[in-house]
Protein backbone atom coordinates (compact mmCIF):
# COMPACT_ATOMS: atom_id res chain seq x y z
CA UNK A 1 0.00 0.00 0.00
CA UNK A 2 1.44 3.40 -0.95
CA UNK A 3 2.08 5.65 2.04
CA UNK A 4 -0.15 8.69 2.04
CA UNK A 5 0.90 12.26 2.66
CA UNK A 6 -1.72 13.81 4.93
CA UNK A 7 -0.42 17.31 4.24
CA UNK A 8 -1.34 16.92 0.56
CA UNK A 9 -4.99 16.34 1.37
CA UNK A 10 -7.87 18.64 2.11
CA UNK A 11 -9.15 18.16 5.66
CA UNK A 12 -12.24 16.01 6.05
CA UNK A 13 -15.25 18.33 6.45
CA UNK A 14 -16.97 18.28 9.81
CA UNK A 15 -19.92 15.90 9.74
CA UNK A 16 -23.23 15.91 11.58
CA UNK A 17 -22.36 12.77 13.57
CA UNK A 18 -19.17 14.41 14.81
CA UNK A 19 -21.22 16.77 16.96
CA UNK A 20 -23.03 13.94 18.68
CA UNK A 21 -20.80 11.23 20.13
CA UNK A 22 -23.80 9.04 21.05
CA UNK A 23 -25.40 9.29 17.61
CA UNK A 24 -25.26 7.06 14.59
CA UNK A 25 -23.15 8.06 11.58
CA UNK A 26 -25.26 8.82 8.50
CA UNK A 27 -22.68 7.76 5.89
CA UNK A 28 -20.58 4.65 6.38
CA UNK A 29 -18.00 2.83 4.29
CA UNK A 30 -17.51 -0.91 4.83
CA UNK A 31 -14.30 -2.25 3.26
CA UNK A 32 -14.33 -5.83 1.93
CA UNK A 33 -16.17 -8.05 -0.49
CA UNK A 34 -17.33 -11.13 1.39
CA UNK A 35 -20.37 -12.36 3.26
CA UNK A 36 -19.01 -10.74 6.41
CA UNK A 37 -19.02 -7.30 4.80
CA UNK A 38 -22.52 -7.72 3.36
CA UNK A 39 -23.74 -8.70 6.82
CA UNK A 40 -21.98 -5.69 8.35
CA UNK A 41 -23.51 -3.40 5.71
CA UNK A 42 -26.96 -4.89 6.32
CA UNK A 43 -26.60 -4.58 10.12
CA UNK A 44 -25.42 -0.97 9.93
CA UNK A 45 -27.91 0.19 7.28
CA UNK A 46 -30.83 -0.81 9.47
CA UNK A 47 -29.69 1.43 12.36
CA UNK A 48 -31.81 4.59 12.70
CA UNK A 49 -29.88 7.63 11.48
CA UNK A 50 -27.80 5.70 8.95
CA UNK A 51 -28.59 6.90 5.42
CA UNK A 52 -26.19 4.99 3.19
CA UNK A 53 -23.60 2.26 3.61
CA UNK A 54 -21.13 1.91 0.76
CA UNK A 55 -19.39 -1.46 0.52
CA UNK A 56 -16.05 -1.56 -1.33
CA UNK A 57 -15.66 -3.63 -3.40
CA UNK A 58 -18.81 -5.53 -2.29
CA UNK A 59 -20.12 -8.41 -4.36
CA UNK A 60 -23.07 -9.53 -6.49
CA UNK A 61 -25.50 -9.21 -3.59
CA UNK A 62 -24.46 -5.84 -2.20
CA UNK A 63 -26.80 -3.74 -4.34
CA UNK A 64 -29.74 -5.84 -3.19
CA UNK A 65 -29.23 -4.92 0.47
CA UNK A 66 -31.53 -2.10 1.57
CA UNK A 67 -29.53 1.10 2.18
CA UNK A 68 -26.31 -0.31 0.71
CA UNK A 69 -24.36 0.72 -2.41
CA UNK A 70 -21.43 -0.89 -4.18
CA UNK A 71 -18.22 1.09 -4.47
CA UNK A 72 -15.90 -0.50 -7.03
CA UNK A 73 -12.61 0.04 -5.20
CA UNK A 74 -10.27 -2.76 -4.11
CA UNK A 75 -9.72 -3.21 -0.38
CA UNK A 76 -5.98 -2.76 -0.98
CA UNK A 77 -6.36 0.66 -2.66
CA UNK A 78 -6.06 2.98 0.33
CA UNK A 79 -5.61 6.13 -1.76
CA UNK A 80 -8.84 5.63 -3.68
CA UNK A 81 -10.74 4.60 -0.55
CA UNK A 82 -9.58 7.78 1.22
CA UNK A 83 -10.62 9.90 -1.77
CA UNK A 84 -14.04 8.19 -1.87
CA UNK A 85 -14.48 8.93 1.86
CA UNK A 86 -13.77 12.62 1.28
CA UNK A 87 -16.15 12.82 -1.68
CA UNK A 88 -18.96 11.19 0.28
CA UNK A 89 -18.23 12.84 3.66
CA UNK A 90 -17.99 9.38 5.22
CA UNK A 91 -18.33 9.49 9.00
CA UNK A 92 -17.29 5.93 9.82
CA UNK A 93 -15.14 3.36 8.02
CA UNK A 94 -15.45 -0.30 9.05
CA UNK A 95 -12.65 -2.50 7.71
CA UNK A 96 -13.80 -6.13 7.42
CA UNK A 97 -10.85 -8.35 6.38
CA UNK A 98 -7.49 -8.91 8.07
CA UNK A 99 -5.24 -8.37 5.04
CA UNK A 100 -5.87 -4.62 4.62
CA UNK A 101 -5.75 -4.16 8.42
CA UNK A 102 -2.35 -5.88 8.60
CA UNK A 103 -1.19 -3.73 5.67
CA UNK A 104 -2.04 -0.52 7.55
CA UNK A 105 -5.27 0.60 5.86
CA UNK A 106 -6.78 1.81 9.15
CA UNK A 107 -3.62 3.85 9.87
CA UNK A 108 -3.74 5.40 6.42
CA UNK A 109 -7.41 6.39 6.75
CA UNK A 110 -6.91 7.73 10.29
CA UNK A 111 -4.14 9.97 9.02
CA UNK A 112 -6.83 11.48 6.80
CA UNK A 113 -8.87 12.32 9.88
CA UNK A 114 -11.40 9.52 9.42
CA UNK A 115 -13.04 7.54 12.21
CA UNK A 116 -12.06 3.92 11.53
CA UNK A 117 -13.35 0.75 13.19
CA UNK A 118 -10.43 -1.67 12.83
CA UNK A 119 -6.97 -1.77 14.40
CA UNK A 120 -3.85 -0.26 12.87
CA UNK A 121 -1.06 -2.48 11.55
CA UNK A 122 0.45 -2.59 15.07
CA UNK A 123 -2.68 -4.07 16.67
CA UNK A 124 -3.42 -6.30 13.68
CA UNK A 125 -0.24 -8.21 14.60
CA UNK A 126 -2.45 -10.05 17.05
CA UNK A 127 -3.54 -12.00 13.98
CA UNK A 128 -0.73 -11.33 11.51
CA UNK A 129 2.05 -12.81 13.65
CA UNK A 130 1.44 -15.89 15.76
CA UNK A 131 4.81 -15.40 17.49
CA UNK A 132 3.97 -11.84 18.44
CA UNK A 133 0.55 -12.88 19.72
CA UNK A 134 1.95 -15.78 21.74
CA UNK A 135 4.60 -13.55 23.34
CA UNK A 136 1.90 -11.03 24.27
CA UNK A 137 -0.28 -13.77 25.77
CA UNK A 138 2.53 -15.22 27.85
CA UNK A 139 3.58 -11.79 29.15
CA UNK A 140 -0.03 -10.94 30.03
CA UNK A 141 -0.64 -14.29 31.75
CA UNK A 142 -3.39 -15.27 29.29
CA UNK A 143 -4.11 -19.01 29.31
CA UNK A 144 -2.71 -20.52 26.10
CA UNK A 145 -0.80 -23.62 24.96
CA UNK A 146 2.97 -23.74 25.60
CA UNK A 147 5.00 -22.85 22.49
CA UNK A 148 8.37 -22.54 20.83
CA UNK A 149 9.31 -20.13 18.03
CA UNK A 150 11.67 -21.04 15.23
CA UNK A 151 13.07 -18.88 12.44
CA UNK A 152 14.53 -21.72 10.35
CA UNK A 153 13.69 -25.28 9.43
CA UNK A 154 16.78 -26.56 11.23
CA UNK A 155 15.89 -24.73 14.43
CA UNK A 156 12.33 -26.12 14.33
CA UNK A 157 13.55 -29.69 13.66
CA UNK A 158 16.00 -29.44 16.56
CA UNK A 159 13.17 -28.45 18.89
CA UNK A 160 11.13 -31.40 17.62
CA UNK A 161 14.04 -33.78 18.09
CA UNK A 162 14.50 -32.60 21.66
CA UNK A 163 10.80 -32.88 22.55
CA UNK A 164 10.19 -36.01 20.47
CA UNK A 165 6.37 -35.75 20.57
CA UNK A 166 3.66 -34.56 18.15
CA UNK A 167 3.15 -30.79 18.09
CA UNK A 168 0.86 -28.25 16.44
CA UNK A 169 2.73 -26.45 13.63
CA UNK A 170 1.71 -22.88 12.77
CA UNK A 171 3.18 -20.67 10.05
CA UNK A 172 3.81 -17.29 11.68
CA UNK A 173 1.97 -14.99 9.26
CA UNK A 174 -1.40 -14.70 7.51
CA UNK A 175 -1.95 -17.91 5.54
CA UNK A 176 -5.69 -17.71 4.80
CA UNK A 177 -6.49 -20.31 7.46
CA UNK A 178 -4.21 -22.89 5.85
CA UNK A 179 -1.05 -22.42 7.92
CA UNK A 180 -1.89 -24.75 10.85
CA UNK A 181 -1.29 -28.51 11.11
CA UNK A 182 -2.43 -30.41 14.19
CA UNK A 183 0.04 -33.29 13.84
CA UNK A 184 -0.66 -36.62 15.46
CA UNK A 185 2.85 -38.09 15.16
CA UNK A 186 6.46 -36.88 15.24
CA UNK A 187 6.74 -37.80 11.56
CA UNK A 188 3.71 -35.67 10.67
CA UNK A 189 5.11 -32.81 12.75
CA UNK A 190 8.39 -33.01 10.84
CA UNK A 191 6.60 -33.00 7.47
CA UNK A 192 4.51 -29.99 8.49
CA UNK A 193 7.61 -28.07 9.59
CA UNK A 194 9.30 -28.78 6.25
CA UNK A 195 6.14 -27.67 4.42
CA UNK A 196 6.09 -24.29 6.19
CA UNK A 197 9.69 -23.63 5.18
CA UNK A 198 9.32 -24.86 1.59
CA UNK A 199 7.88 -21.50 0.62
CA UNK A 200 4.25 -22.41 0.06
CA UNK A 201 3.04 -19.75 2.49
CA UNK A 202 5.32 -17.04 1.09
CA UNK A 203 6.41 -14.48 3.68
CA UNK A 204 3.90 -15.98 6.15
CA UNK A 205 6.13 -19.07 6.37
CA UNK A 206 9.43 -17.32 7.09
CA UNK A 207 9.12 -18.50 10.69
CA UNK A 208 6.78 -20.66 12.72
CA UNK A 209 5.37 -21.50 16.10
CA UNK A 210 5.30 -25.03 17.52
CA UNK A 211 2.59 -25.53 20.10
CA UNK A 212 1.53 -28.13 22.65
CA UNK A 213 -1.66 -29.82 21.45
CA UNK A 214 -4.79 -29.07 23.47
CA UNK A 215 -8.15 -30.73 23.28
CA UNK A 216 -11.73 -29.68 23.86
CA UNK A 217 -14.59 -28.00 22.05
CA UNK A 218 -13.88 -24.66 20.36
CA UNK A 219 -15.83 -21.45 20.67
CA UNK A 220 -15.27 -17.93 19.35
CA UNK A 221 -15.74 -14.79 21.41
CA UNK A 222 -15.95 -11.37 19.77
CA UNK A 223 -15.40 -8.12 21.63
CA UNK A 224 -15.91 -4.63 20.25
CA UNK A 225 -13.41 -2.24 21.77
CA UNK A 226 -12.21 1.35 21.74
CA UNK A 227 -8.90 0.25 23.26
CA UNK A 228 -10.16 0.57 26.86
CA UNK A 229 -13.71 -0.70 27.24
CA UNK A 230 -15.20 -3.85 25.78
CA UNK A 231 -18.62 -4.93 24.56
CA UNK A 232 -18.87 -8.71 24.28
CA UNK A 233 -21.06 -10.37 21.67
CA UNK A 234 -22.70 -13.78 22.12
CA UNK A 235 -20.21 -16.64 21.73
CA UNK A 236 -20.40 -18.42 18.38
CA UNK A 237 -19.37 -21.79 17.04
CA UNK A 238 -18.49 -22.45 13.43
CA UNK A 239 -17.93 -25.58 11.35
CA UNK A 240 -14.58 -25.50 9.57
CA UNK A 241 -14.63 -28.87 7.80
CA UNK A 242 -16.22 -29.36 4.38
CA UNK A 243 -17.81 -32.72 5.23
CA UNK A 244 -20.79 -33.69 7.36
CA UNK A 245 -19.80 -35.02 10.76
CA UNK A 246 -16.98 -32.43 10.76
CA UNK A 247 -14.81 -34.45 8.38
CA UNK A 248 -12.61 -33.68 5.38
CA UNK A 249 -10.45 -30.66 4.58
CA UNK A 250 -10.69 -27.33 6.38
CA UNK A 251 -12.61 -24.47 4.79
CA UNK A 252 -13.18 -20.84 5.63
CA UNK A 253 -16.30 -22.04 7.50
CA UNK A 254 -19.41 -23.90 6.31
CA UNK A 255 -21.84 -22.56 8.87
CA UNK A 256 -22.17 -21.28 12.41
CA UNK A 257 -24.58 -20.68 15.24
CA UNK A 258 -24.89 -18.33 18.19
CA UNK A 259 -25.15 -18.12 21.13
CA UNK A 260 -23.02 -21.23 21.66
CA UNK A 261 -24.31 -22.79 24.91
CA UNK A 262 -20.78 -24.05 25.66
CA UNK A 263 -20.05 -20.68 27.22
CA UNK A 264 -22.77 -19.36 29.52
CA UNK A 265 -22.93 -15.81 30.89
CA UNK A 266 -20.52 -16.65 33.74
CA UNK A 267 -18.12 -18.34 31.30
CA UNK A 268 -18.21 -15.30 29.04
CA UNK A 269 -17.46 -13.00 31.98
CA UNK A 270 -14.51 -15.22 32.90
CA UNK A 271 -13.21 -14.84 29.34
CA UNK A 272 -13.56 -11.08 29.67
CA UNK A 273 -11.55 -11.03 32.91
CA UNK A 274 -8.94 -13.67 32.11
CA UNK A 275 -8.43 -13.10 28.38
CA UNK A 276 -9.84 -9.91 26.89
CA UNK A 277 -9.06 -7.34 29.59
CA UNK A 278 -5.45 -8.55 30.03
CA UNK A 279 -5.05 -8.54 26.22
CA UNK A 280 -6.19 -4.92 26.00
CA UNK A 281 -3.91 -3.97 28.90
CA UNK A 282 -0.96 -5.69 27.19
CA UNK A 283 -1.72 -3.90 23.91
CA UNK A 284 -1.88 -0.55 25.73
CA UNK A 285 1.41 -1.25 27.50
CA UNK A 286 2.94 -1.60 24.03
CA UNK A 287 1.50 1.80 23.11
CA UNK A 288 -1.18 0.24 20.86
CA UNK A 289 -4.53 2.00 20.73
CA UNK A 290 -6.66 -0.92 19.48
CA UNK A 291 -10.04 0.10 18.07
CA UNK A 292 -12.03 -2.67 16.44
CA UNK A 293 -12.85 -6.33 17.03
CA UNK A 294 -10.82 -8.69 19.15
CA UNK A 295 -11.77 -12.22 18.17
CA UNK A 296 -10.56 -14.85 20.61
CA UNK A 297 -10.64 -18.42 19.31
CA UNK A 298 -10.87 -20.52 22.48
CA UNK A 299 -10.54 -24.17 23.28
CA UNK A 300 -12.50 -25.23 26.35
CA UNK A 301 -10.02 -27.64 27.92
CA UNK A 302 -10.32 -29.66 31.13
CA UNK A 303 -8.33 -26.90 32.85
CA UNK A 304 -10.48 -24.03 31.51
CA UNK A 305 -10.60 -21.89 28.36
CA UNK A 306 -7.29 -21.47 26.50
CA UNK A 307 -6.66 -19.09 23.63
CA UNK A 308 -5.97 -20.92 20.36
CA UNK A 309 -5.68 -17.78 18.28
CA UNK A 310 -6.54 -14.12 18.13
CA UNK A 311 -7.98 -12.47 15.05
CA UNK A 312 -8.24 -8.74 14.47
CA UNK A 313 -11.67 -8.77 12.74
CA UNK A 314 -15.03 -10.53 12.72
CA UNK A 315 -15.09 -14.19 11.76
CA UNK A 316 -16.87 -15.23 8.60
CA UNK A 317 -19.51 -16.81 8.86
CA UNK A 318 -19.80 -15.83 12.56
CA UNK A 319 -20.39 -12.22 11.52
CA UNK A 320 -23.36 -13.18 9.34
CA UNK A 321 -24.69 -15.21 12.28
CA UNK A 322 -24.28 -12.47 14.88
CA UNK A 323 -25.37 -9.33 13.01
CA UNK A 324 -29.10 -10.17 13.07
CA UNK A 325 -28.93 -10.49 16.88
CA UNK A 326 -27.49 -6.99 17.38
CA UNK A 327 -29.64 -3.97 18.12
CA UNK A 328 -30.10 -0.66 16.31
CA UNK A 329 -27.34 0.92 18.44
CA UNK A 330 -24.70 -0.95 16.41
CA UNK A 331 -23.68 1.97 14.18
CA UNK A 332 -23.31 4.34 17.15
CA UNK A 333 -21.33 1.71 19.08
CA UNK A 334 -18.88 1.09 16.21
CA UNK A 335 -18.47 4.85 15.74
CA UNK A 336 -17.77 5.26 19.47
CA UNK A 337 -15.16 2.48 19.28
CA UNK A 338 -13.56 4.23 16.30
CA UNK A 339 -13.46 7.52 18.21
CA UNK A 340 -12.16 6.02 21.43
CA UNK A 341 -15.24 6.87 23.50
CA UNK A 342 -17.13 3.61 23.84
CA UNK A 343 -18.15 4.45 27.41
CA UNK A 344 -20.35 7.27 26.02
CA UNK A 345 -22.12 5.00 23.51
CA UNK A 346 -25.63 3.62 24.05
CA UNK A 347 -25.76 0.05 25.36
CA UNK A 348 -25.83 -2.47 22.51
CA UNK A 349 -29.03 -4.53 22.68
CA UNK A 350 -28.57 -8.23 21.94
CA UNK A 351 -31.65 -10.25 21.04
CA UNK A 352 -32.04 -13.34 23.24
CA UNK A 353 -32.67 -15.54 20.22
CA UNK A 354 -30.93 -18.38 18.42
CA UNK A 355 -29.22 -17.58 15.12
CA UNK A 356 -28.33 -20.27 12.56
CA UNK A 357 -26.16 -19.77 9.49
CA UNK A 358 -25.57 -22.24 6.66
CA UNK A 359 -23.07 -21.55 3.87
CA UNK A 360 -23.77 -22.58 0.27
CA UNK A 361 -20.45 -23.20 -1.50
CA UNK A 362 -19.46 -23.84 -5.10
CA UNK A 363 -18.70 -27.34 -6.41
CA UNK A 364 -15.09 -28.25 -5.72
CA UNK A 365 -14.71 -26.05 -2.63
CA UNK A 366 -12.29 -25.86 -0.77
CA UNK A 367 -10.23 -26.82 -3.83
CA UNK A 368 -10.55 -25.38 -7.33
CA UNK A 369 -14.18 -24.23 -7.79
CA UNK A 370 -16.65 -23.74 -10.63
CA UNK A 371 -17.38 -20.08 -11.37
CA UNK A 372 -19.81 -18.17 -13.53
CA UNK A 373 -22.96 -20.23 -12.79
CA UNK A 374 -26.17 -18.20 -12.58
CA UNK A 375 -27.60 -17.93 -9.07
CA UNK A 376 -31.40 -18.25 -8.82
CA UNK A 377 -33.08 -17.28 -5.58
CA UNK A 378 -36.71 -17.18 -4.50
CA UNK A 379 -35.77 -16.41 -0.89
CA UNK A 380 -37.75 -13.54 0.57
CA UNK A 381 -35.77 -12.12 3.47
CA UNK A 382 -37.76 -10.99 6.49
CA UNK A 383 -37.09 -9.91 10.07
CA UNK A 384 -35.89 -13.43 10.93
CA UNK A 385 -34.30 -14.53 7.66
CA UNK A 386 -31.37 -13.14 5.70
CA UNK A 387 -29.56 -14.12 2.52
CA UNK A 388 -26.05 -12.67 2.36
CA UNK A 389 -23.89 -12.99 -0.73
CA UNK A 390 -20.19 -13.85 -0.50
CA UNK A 391 -18.49 -15.23 -3.65
CA UNK A 392 -20.90 -13.76 -6.20
CA UNK A 393 -20.63 -11.20 -8.99
CA UNK A 394 -23.16 -9.09 -10.89
CA UNK A 395 -22.75 -9.43 -14.68
CA UNK A 396 -23.35 -6.61 -17.17
CA UNK A 397 -26.66 -8.20 -18.14
CA UNK A 398 -27.83 -8.07 -14.51
CA UNK A 399 -27.38 -11.79 -13.79
CA UNK A 400 -25.81 -12.70 -10.48
CA UNK A 401 -23.26 -15.49 -10.92
CA UNK A 402 -21.00 -17.55 -8.68
CA UNK A 403 -17.52 -16.08 -8.30
CA UNK A 404 -15.84 -17.82 -5.38
CA UNK A 405 -15.72 -20.79 -3.02
CA UNK A 406 -18.30 -19.73 -0.48
CA UNK A 407 -21.16 -18.26 -2.49
CA UNK A 408 -24.04 -17.46 -0.10
CA UNK A 409 -24.89 -17.44 3.60
CA UNK A 410 -28.46 -18.17 4.67
CA UNK A 411 -29.18 -17.04 8.22
CA UNK A 412 -32.33 -17.52 10.33
CA UNK A 413 -33.33 -16.60 13.88
CA UNK A 414 -35.88 -18.30 16.11
CA UNK A 415 -36.55 -19.09 19.75
CA UNK A 416 -34.62 -22.35 19.55
CA UNK A 417 -31.95 -23.83 17.30
CA UNK A 418 -34.19 -26.54 15.82
CA UNK A 419 -36.57 -23.90 14.46
CA UNK A 420 -33.74 -21.58 13.35
CA UNK A 421 -31.97 -24.32 11.39
CA UNK A 422 -35.25 -25.59 9.97
CA UNK A 423 -35.94 -22.09 8.59
CA UNK A 424 -32.40 -21.68 7.24
CA UNK A 425 -32.52 -25.06 5.47
CA UNK A 426 -36.02 -24.39 4.12
CA UNK A 427 -34.72 -21.13 2.61
CA UNK A 428 -31.75 -22.95 1.08
CA UNK A 429 -34.13 -25.10 -0.97
CA UNK A 430 -35.22 -21.86 -2.67
CA UNK A 431 -31.69 -21.12 -3.89
CA UNK A 432 -30.07 -22.88 -6.81
CA UNK A 433 -27.01 -22.79 -9.01
CA UNK A 434 -25.05 -25.51 -10.76
CA UNK A 435 -22.99 -27.46 -8.23
CA UNK A 436 -24.48 -25.93 -5.04
CA UNK A 437 -22.83 -27.61 -2.04
CA UNK A 438 -23.74 -27.34 1.61
CA UNK A 439 -23.61 -29.35 4.80
CA UNK A 440 -26.91 -30.59 6.17
CA UNK A 441 -25.66 -31.01 9.72
CA UNK A 442 -24.62 -27.49 10.67
CA UNK A 443 -25.40 -26.96 14.35
CA UNK A 444 -25.61 -30.70 15.06
CA UNK A 445 -24.34 -29.97 18.58
CA UNK A 446 -27.44 -27.89 19.39
CA UNK A 447 -30.12 -29.58 17.24
CA UNK A 448 -32.20 -32.53 18.26
CA UNK A 449 -31.54 -35.55 16.03
CA UNK A 450 -34.40 -36.05 13.52
CA UNK A 451 -35.59 -39.17 15.36
CA UNK A 452 -36.32 -37.03 18.43
CA UNK A 453 -38.15 -34.30 16.56
CA UNK A 454 -41.97 -34.36 16.74
CA UNK A 455 -43.45 -36.14 13.68
P1 LIG B 1 -5.59 -21.33 14.33
O1 LIG B 1 -5.42 -20.81 12.94
O2 LIG B 1 -4.46 -21.03 15.25
O3 LIG B 1 -6.94 -21.00 14.90
O4 LIG B 1 -5.68 -22.90 14.20
C1 LIG B 1 -6.62 -23.53 13.37
C2 LIG B 1 -7.24 -24.71 14.07
O5 LIG B 1 -6.21 -25.62 14.48
C3 LIG B 1 -7.97 -24.35 15.35
O6 LIG B 1 -9.27 -23.95 15.14
C4 LIG B 1 -7.89 -25.66 16.12
O7 LIG B 1 -8.90 -26.55 15.69
C5 LIG B 1 -6.56 -26.22 15.71
N1 LIG B 1 -5.53 -25.87 16.72
C6 LIG B 1 -4.79 -24.74 16.78
N2 LIG B 1 -3.97 -24.76 17.84
C7 LIG B 1 -4.18 -25.93 18.47
C8 LIG B 1 -3.63 -26.56 19.64
N3 LIG B 1 -2.67 -25.98 20.36
N4 LIG B 1 -4.10 -27.78 19.98
C9 LIG B 1 -5.07 -28.40 19.25
N5 LIG B 1 -5.61 -27.87 18.15
C10 LIG B 1 -5.18 -26.65 17.75
Amino acid sequence: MAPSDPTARAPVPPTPGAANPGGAPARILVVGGGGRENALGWGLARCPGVETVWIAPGNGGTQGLPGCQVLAIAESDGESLAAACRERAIELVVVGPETPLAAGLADQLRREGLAVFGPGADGARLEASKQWAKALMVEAGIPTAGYWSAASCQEALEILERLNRPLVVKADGLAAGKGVTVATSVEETRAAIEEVFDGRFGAAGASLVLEEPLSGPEVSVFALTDGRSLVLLPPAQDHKRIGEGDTGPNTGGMGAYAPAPLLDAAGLEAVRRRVLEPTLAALRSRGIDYRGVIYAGLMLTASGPQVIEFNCRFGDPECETLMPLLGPELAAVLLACARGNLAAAPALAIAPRCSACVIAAAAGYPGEVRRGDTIHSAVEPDANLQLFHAGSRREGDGRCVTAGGRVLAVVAQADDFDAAFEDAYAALTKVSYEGITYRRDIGHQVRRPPSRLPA
Side-chain angles (χ1 to χ4, degrees), residues 98 101-103 119-129 132 174 288 290 312:
E98 65 277 17
L101 289 168
D122 53 3
R125 294 188 81 189
L126 261 193
E127 176 165 1
S129 170
W132 190 87
L174 295 178
I288 296 173
Y290 191 106
C312 63

Side-chain angles (χ1 to χ4, degrees), residues 75-110:
E75 63 188 39
S76 56
D77 186 354
E79 291 288 317
S80 302
L81 290 170
C85 289
R86 283 195 304 276
E87 282 158 22
R88 289 165 180 77
I90 293 291
E91 293 161 53
L92 170 67
V93 183
V94 178
V95 183
E98 65 277 17
T99 304
L101 289 168
L105 178 63
D107 304 298
Q108 183 176 4
L109 297 177
R110 283 192 184 107

Side-chain angles (χ1 to χ4, degrees), residues 119-120 122-125 132 136 227 280 282-290:
D122 53 3
R125 294 188 81 189
W132 190 87
L136 179 137
L280 265 190
L283 288 165
R284 276 202 307 275
S285 76
R286 285 164 164 73
I288 296 173
D289 187 10
Y290 191 106

Side-chain angles (χ1 to χ4, degrees), residues 232-322:
L232 269 59
L233 305 186
Q237 233 183 342
D238 74 341
H239 293 265
K240 283 272 179 256
R241 305 297 190 97
I242 187 72
E244 290 176 10
D246 295 313
T247 55
N250 263 324
T251 70
M254 294 302 290
Y257 60 90
L262 280 169
L263 213 52
D264 60 11
L268 199 57
E269 273 313 301
V271 170
R272 176 201 291 274
R273 277 195 321 277
R274 295 181 55 201
V275 172
L276 295 164
E277 288 176 352
T279 301
L280 265 190
L283 288 165
R284 276 202 307 275
S285 76
R286 285 164 164 73
I288 296 173
D289 187 10
Y290 191 106
R291 301 180 183 188
V293 176
I294 298 181
Y295 161 164
L298 304 170
M299 196 169 264
L300 305 181
T301 70
S303 55
Q306 305 250 351
V307 177
I308 289 288
E309 63 166 341
F310 279 126
N311 291 322
C312 63
R313 37 79 199 179
F314 283 108
D316 185 343
E318 293 97 324
C319 185
E320 292 93 308
T321 315
L322 289 169

Side-chain angles (χ1 to χ4, degrees), residues 30-333:
V30 173
V31 178
R36 167 181 49 211
E37 287 75 27
N38 268 16
L40 279 165
W42 173 88
L44 290 166
R46 68 182 188 146
C47 299
V50 174
E51 289 164 12
T52 307
V53 180
W54 285 271
I55 307 183
N59 58 42
T62 303
Q63 211 71 43
L65 296 168
C68 296
Q69 299 279 330
V70 172
L71 197 54
I73 303 174
E75 63 188 39
S76 56
D77 186 354
E79 291 288 317
S80 302
L81 290 170
C85 289
R86 283 195 304 276
E87 282 158 22
R88 289 165 180 77
I90 293 291
E91 293 161 53
L92 170 67
V93 183
V94 178
V95 183
E98 65 277 17
T99 304
L101 289 168
L105 178 63
D107 304 298
Q108 183 176 4
L109 297 177
R110 283 192 184 107
R111 284 196 297 269
E112 303 272 338
L114 289 155
V116 183
F117 181 83
D122 53 3
R125 294 188 81 189
L126 261 193
E127 176 165 1
S129 170
K130 302 241 185 227
Q131 290 181 1
W132 190 87
K134 290 295 280 190
L136 179 137
M137 285 188 245
V138 169
E139 268 177 51
I142 293 162
T144 190
Y147 81 106
W148 299 261
S149 290
S152 71
C153 192
Q154 192 189 341
E155 194 185 343
L157 291 175
E158 280 169 13
I159 295 166
L160 176 63
E161 199 168 315
R162 201 171 67 240
L163 299 170
N164 196 30
R165 58 179 188 267
L167 298 168
V168 181
V169 180
K170 301 185 172 185
D172 183 59
L174 295 178
K178 299 191 178 82
V180 175
T181 303
V182 184
T184 52
S185 66
V186 170
E187 222 9 81
E188 207 188 323
T189 311
R190 181 174 298 118
I193 289 171
E194 285 165 355
E195 235 177 65
V196 168
F197 287 108
D198 79 2
R200 81 183 48 192
F201 300 117
S207 56
L208 57 65
V209 163
L210 298 172
E211 240 179 59
E212 296 285 12
L214 302 173
S215 65
E218 290 178 51
V219 64
S220 305
V221 173
F222 297 89
L224 314 177
T225 182
D226 65 348
R228 293 183 177 278
S229 315
L230 294 156
V231 172
L232 269 59
L233 305 186
Q237 233 183 342
D238 74 341
H239 293 265
K240 283 272 179 256
R241 305 297 190 97
I242 187 72
E244 290 176 10
D246 295 313
T247 55
N250 263 324
T251 70
M254 294 302 290
Y257 60 90
L262 280 169
L263 213 52
D264 60 11
L268 199 57
E269 273 313 301
V271 170
R272 176 201 291 274
R273 277 195 321 277
R274 295 181 55 201
V275 172
L276 295 164
E277 288 176 352
T279 301
L280 265 190
L283 288 165
R284 276 202 307 275
S285 76
R286 285 164 164 73
I288 296 173
D289 187 10
Y290 191 106
R291 301 180 183 188
V293 176
I294 298 181
Y295 161 164
L298 304 170
M299 196 169 264
L300 305 181
T301 70
S303 55
Q306 305 250 351
V307 177
I308 289 288
E309 63 166 341
F310 279 126
N311 291 322
C312 63
R313 37 79 199 179
F314 283 108
D316 185 343
E318 293 97 324
C319 185
E320 292 93 308
T321 315
L322 289 169
M323 281 300 135
L325 298 177
L326 306 185
E329 307 83 9
L330 179 68
V333 168

